[in-house]
Amino acid sequence: MGKKSKNDRENVCAYCLFFQPDPAASRPLRGNCTYHKEWIENASLTLCSDMSYRPLKEKGIYQLVANGDHDGWLYIRRQEKLRTRLFLIK
């Protein structure tokens, strides 16, 4: 069987129904999390404690960072909101 990509093993924001991409952005991976009401800069490498496969003790938004030589992720909790951005959705 083929090896699954790292993103296939986690519920990143890009696959979440609460993620609303910025319609004016050139990158569709930037936008709002309507659940946490926080700005997501890179939805393919971000997730929240509520949607993660892995039980995360602290509630909030986490950045995924490749775990060096190992197959997996380091979960780095966001300490504060980047910014809250609101925009119209058609």
Side-chain angles (χ1 to χ4, degrees), residues 4-58:
K4 293 177 90 175
S5 74
K6 291 180 184 179
N7 282 356
D8 288 343
R9 296 187 202 142
E10 192 52 270
N11 287 322
V12 294
C13 294
Y15 303 122
C16 183
L17 295 176
F18 292 110
F19 177 69
Q20 298 295 318
D22 183 348
S26 59
R27 291 182 57 215
L29 295 176
R30 298 171 63 178
N32 284 326
C33 170
T34 59
Y35 184 72
H36 287 279
K37 296 179 177 56
E38 290 193 38
W39 178 253
I40 304 298
E41 190 66 30
N42 186 344
S44 65
L45 292 174
T46 309
L47 62 92
C48 71
S49 54
D50 301 284
M51 302 296 178
S52 177
Y53 286 139
R54 183 181 189 182
L56 301 170
K57 292 180 183 180
E58 292 186 63

Side-chain angles (χ1 to χ4, degrees), residues 69-82:
D69 295 334
H70 305 292
D71 187 31
W73 294 109
L74 295 175
Y75 294 76
I76 300 174
R77 188 174 174 276
R78 186 185 284 178
Q79 297 303 312
E80 57 189 40
K81 290 183 179 186
L82 294 178

